[in-house]
């Protein structure tokens, strides 16, 4: 291709920059196998080296000093005693081209067109060229490779075009070049990019090298007035020791802070590596981007695992920190079954909200429970590695799923046996009593998936009782976890647990409760009773609390932070086969909670802070519509004339839901009163006159807002008007409605 462009800048040829730095030697090299040339005779007396030996030593040292920089270039670089973070190789290119060799000195060298930390950087340009580093002794547990990269621009060099890509590779122990990444020439001119990857496996050998390669171009000097075409600039190349990844394993989480040790990457149009663009913990996550690519775990033995669960953190890319995927650029997760088939667990659409975070959880049973279980993350699409990112972190295989998991997703409770469902699969269902019910007024974690509905307790005789069954009692270890939103700090209010009162002869297990401005937890063990105490979290605000017992300590967590603990001699929990309560003390039915509770769980293990944090972030699909209702009236009315009752449909954040088309029930809750429609385009029915009940199906034209008239000629007063559908109820913010024989206004 012939191009005609104005000249830009003169270029320093690589040959003009080849002066090698003077070598420095920190200590003389020992030539004796023991590190000393002294001899010890049988009597123990030391002798000085013989003159001939001293002369030979001096000659060798002189030769070493004379060779100086040549040895520095020829010998692999490695610190004497490496540790994580230690630099094995670095180059800012201020000292020339001495640590690199190139296939064409007219197409690669050092210049001052642009740089990162200092004034110079390495470039490749023109057409196919490869520039290779000296050997680096990378016999370390893991390796981190970083580099500053800049695409050329006509403002300071010359911009590459489509297909004129930069590829960075490393030489593995088998002598093969393995790609670390490629950067397309067709991107934004002058864009500053980066490489940051942690390596293991075949990268960890004494002959590790880096190679910077331009795939093609339109020509070097003398084209373009001596500048040449299609520039890429590289600076601040650093190779350092890193902490290796443990890989995926049962009972722990893969955080990718040590790279992809234990994972296998198969690239198509896309790539996968670890970087710090987005993460849940530590400083790195797994990034899949650009199109088709899979990342497969090492084999994990799940043959004897009971109720193994998989959970992970996933974030869709966004232009603010990586690049958002589009339709068809999806992420999926699969596992290798016992029959050798890849079974899909879930897919996530690229067309969703940029930057969205999800934290799914899956129960692994049946075909997943075998000795050769593997997990695979994959991506679809073909836009190229600079685009379409998915970020994966905190991939956890748990040894135990919750022994019990009460999510409170039922539409309502009516004192029916087993109505409060246990989602763990262990059939530890409970029954509500008092006025305890569920609502969708204020989720602990908003959204769908989220924590969705929650339990509500009015502080007087409300609770949920779970009768004793196999699996409810724990022994060596246990954790109770629950979301709480207290509406008072006064008195004693029970969250969850068994009866641990010291006056109760059958006290056992664990309990969580509040008392006069404090949050408390107690364990009843065979060695005695132990308690922990911390300040009560804020009222009318959701807080996740957990109480963990491991046989030697009891730890209380608030929002995954340990706030109180106590230690004791190794012991086990008392197990008396008693009822468990949520919202009030089991069996005695006292100390009723006032406020909201959600996501109550029991684990047969002591969760640490990181696991509590993961539990706290877990969400699930909402089984019901995420709406509630807001009633408006003026608080007082006359028996002789209809009272206006306005009903609005709101989402959990209090925003109107104009698309709502459900059917609501209106009730005076007294069995008295006649309803009529005052404003609305939907279908209204008052089936039986003066029974206090009517139904209304919203029309989209209502925009989620309708008004009704209530005629209440006589009956109990004040009344609590109630509105509900199959998913939610009104929020009771309107207060009571009082009737009098004549109008007060």
């Amino acid at each position: 291709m012939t191009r005609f462009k104005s000249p830009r800048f003169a270029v320093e040829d690589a040959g003009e920059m080849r002066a090698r730095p003077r070598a420095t030697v920190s200590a003389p090299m020992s030539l004796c196998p023991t590190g000393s040339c002294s001899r010890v005779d049988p009597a123990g007396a030391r002798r000085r080296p013989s003159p001939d030996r001293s002369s030979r030593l001096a000659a060798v040292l002189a030769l070493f000093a004379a060779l100086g920089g040549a040895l520095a270039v020829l010998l692999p670089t490695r610190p004497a005693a490496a540790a994580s973070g230690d630099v094995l190789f670095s180059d800012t290119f201020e000292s020339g081209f001495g640590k690199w060799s190139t296939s064409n000195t007219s197409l690669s060298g050092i210049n001052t067109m642009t740089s990162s930390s200092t004034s110079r950087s390495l470039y490749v340009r023109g057409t196919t060229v490869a520039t290779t580093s000296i050997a680096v002794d990378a016999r370390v547990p893991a390796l981190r490779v970083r580099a500053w990269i800049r695409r050329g621009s006509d403002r300071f060099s010359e911009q590459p075009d489509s297909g004129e890509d930069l590829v960075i590779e490393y030489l593995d122990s088998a002598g093969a070049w393995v790609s670390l990444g490629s950067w397309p020439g067709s991107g934004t001119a002058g864009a500053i990019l980066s490489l940051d990857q942690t390596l293991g496996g075949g990268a960890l050998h004494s002959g590790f090298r880096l190679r910077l390669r331009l795939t093609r171009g339109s020509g070097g000097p003398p084209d373009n007035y001596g500048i040449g075409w299609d520039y890429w600039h590289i600076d601040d190349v650093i190779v350092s020791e890193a902490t290796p990844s443990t890989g995926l394993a049962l009972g722990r989480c893969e955080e990718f802070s040590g790279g992809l040790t234990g994972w296998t990457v198969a690239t198509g149009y896309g790539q996968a590596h670890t970087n710090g663009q987005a993460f849940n913990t530590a400083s790195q996550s797994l990034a899949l981007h650009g199109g088709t690519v899979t990342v497969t775990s090492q084999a994990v033995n799940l043959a004897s695992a009971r109720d193994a669960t998989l959970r992970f953190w996933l974030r869709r890319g966004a232009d603010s920190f990586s690049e958002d995927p589009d339709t068809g650029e999806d992420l999926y997760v699969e596992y290798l079954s016992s029959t050798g088939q890849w079974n899909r667990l879930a897919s996530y659409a690229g067309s969703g909200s940029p930057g969205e975070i999800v934290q799914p959880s899956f129960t692994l049973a049946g075909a997943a429970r075998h000795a050769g279980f593997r997990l695979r993350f994959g991506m679809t699409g073909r836009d190229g590695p600079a685009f379409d990112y998915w970020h994966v972190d905190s991939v956890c295989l748990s040894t135990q799923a919750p022994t019990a998991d009460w999510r409170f997703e039922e539409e309502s409770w009516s004192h029916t046996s087993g109505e409060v469902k246990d989602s763990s699969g262990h059939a530890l269902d409970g029954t509500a009593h008092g006025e305890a019910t569920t609502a969708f007024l204020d989720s602990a974690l908003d959204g769908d998936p989220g924590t969705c509905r929650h339990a509500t307790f009015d502080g007087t005789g409300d609770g949920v009782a779970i009768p004793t069954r196999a699996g409810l009692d724990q022994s060596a270890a246990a954790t109770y976890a629950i979301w709480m939103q207290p509406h008072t700090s006064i008195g004693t209010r029970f969250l969850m647990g068994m009866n641990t009162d010291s006056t109760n002869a059958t006290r056992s297990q664990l309990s969580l409760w509040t008392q006069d401005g404090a949050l408390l937890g107690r364990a009843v063990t065979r060695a005695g009773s132990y308690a922990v105490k911390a300040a009560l979290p804020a009222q009318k605000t959701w807080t996740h609390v957990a109480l963990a017992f491991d046989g030697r300590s009891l730890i209380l967590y608030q929002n995954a932070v340990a706030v109180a603990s106590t230690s004791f001699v190794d012991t086990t929990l008392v197990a008396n086969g008693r009822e468990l309560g949520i919202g009030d003390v089991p069996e005695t039915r006292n100390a009723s909670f006032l406020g909201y509770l959600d996501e109550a769980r029991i684990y047969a293990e002591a969760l640490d802070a990181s696991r509590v944090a993961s539990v706290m972030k877990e969400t699930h699909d909402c089984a019901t519509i995420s709406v509630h209702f807001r009633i408006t009236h003026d608080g007082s009315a006359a028996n002789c004339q209809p009272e206006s009752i306005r009903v609005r449909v709101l989402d959990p954040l209090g925003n109107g839901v104009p698309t709502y088309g459900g059917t609501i029930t209106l009730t005076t809750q007294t069995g008295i009163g006649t309803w009529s429609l005052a404003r609305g385009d939907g279908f209204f029915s008052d089936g039986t006159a003066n029974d206090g009940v009517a139904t209304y199906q919203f029309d989209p034209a209502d925009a989620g807002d309708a008004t009704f008239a209530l005629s209440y000629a006589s009956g109990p007063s004040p009344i609590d008007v109630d509105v509900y559908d199959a998913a939610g109820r009104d929020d009771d913010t309107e207060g009571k409605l009082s009737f009098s024989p004549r109008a007060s206004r």
Side-chain angles (χ1 to χ4, degrees), residues 137-371:
D137 191 338
R139 291 174 292 179
V140 292
L143 202 63
R144 184 180 182 188
V145 180
R146 288 168 285 172
W148 178 91
I149 301 165
R150 190 169 194 185
R151 186 182 289 111
S153 168
D154 293 351
R155 292 184 296 108
F156 52 81
S157 58
E158 206 279 332
Q159 178 183 351
D161 298 316
S162 178
E164 298 164 350
D165 306 334
L166 174 70
V167 178
I168 300 183
E169 305 161 310
Y170 71 88
L171 186 67
D172 72 6
S173 57
W177 289 102
V178 179
S179 175
L180 286 170
S182 64
W183 292 263
S186 56
T188 302
I192 295 175
L193 310 165
S194 65
L195 167 68
D196 190 345
Q197 284 202 41
T198 304
L199 309 175
L204 310 178
H205 65 108
S206 61
F208 176 91
R209 295 175 187 267
L210 290 173
R211 184 167 72 178
L212 319 174
R213 183 164 56 86
L214 178 62
T215 57
R216 71 181 189 191
S218 301
D223 291 352
N224 193 22
Y225 301 93
I227 296 175
W229 311 102
D230 314 319
Y231 274 75
W232 286 94
H233 307 271
I234 302 94
D235 202 359
D236 293 343
V237 179
I238 302 173
V239 179
S240 58
E241 183 176 349
T243 302
S245 168
T246 57
L248 187 66
L250 188 62
R252 63 175 180 246
C253 297
E254 169 66 284
E255 307 290 358
F256 299 105
S257 58
L260 290 176
T261 304
W263 297 82
T264 302
V265 177
T267 59
Y269 289 99
Q271 294 181 354
H273 53 84
T274 58
N275 64 30
Q277 291 173 322
F279 50 84
N280 183 41
T281 61
S283 60
Q284 291 194 149
S285 67
L286 166 65
L288 298 88
H289 56 101
T292 50
V293 62
T294 61
V295 183
T296 306
S297 76
Q298 60 196 8
V300 181
N301 188 351
L302 296 185
S304 59
R306 184 175 71 87
D307 296 329
T309 59
L310 166 71
R311 64 186 189 279
F312 56 87
W313 178 93
L314 175 66
R315 188 169 193 184
R316 186 182 287 107
D319 291 349
S320 59
F321 54 85
S322 57
E323 207 274 340
D324 65 290
D326 300 313
T327 300
E329 296 157 355
D330 307 332
L331 183 125
Y332 59 87
V333 56
E334 303 172 320
Y335 71 88
L336 185 66
S337 73
S338 56
T339 62
Q341 303 297 312
W342 286 102
N343 292 347
R344 185 155 297 187
L345 289 169
S347 296
Y348 302 90
S351 57
S353 300
E356 180 185 12
I357 296 173
V358 296
Q359 298 186 78
S361 178
F362 304 92
T363 298
L364 300 176
R369 293 177 57 183
H370 64 103

Side-chain angles (χ1 to χ4, degrees), residues 463-478:
V464 174
I466 294 90
T468 183
R469 291 191 185 94
L472 195 59
D473 279 342
Q474 309 306 317
S475 178

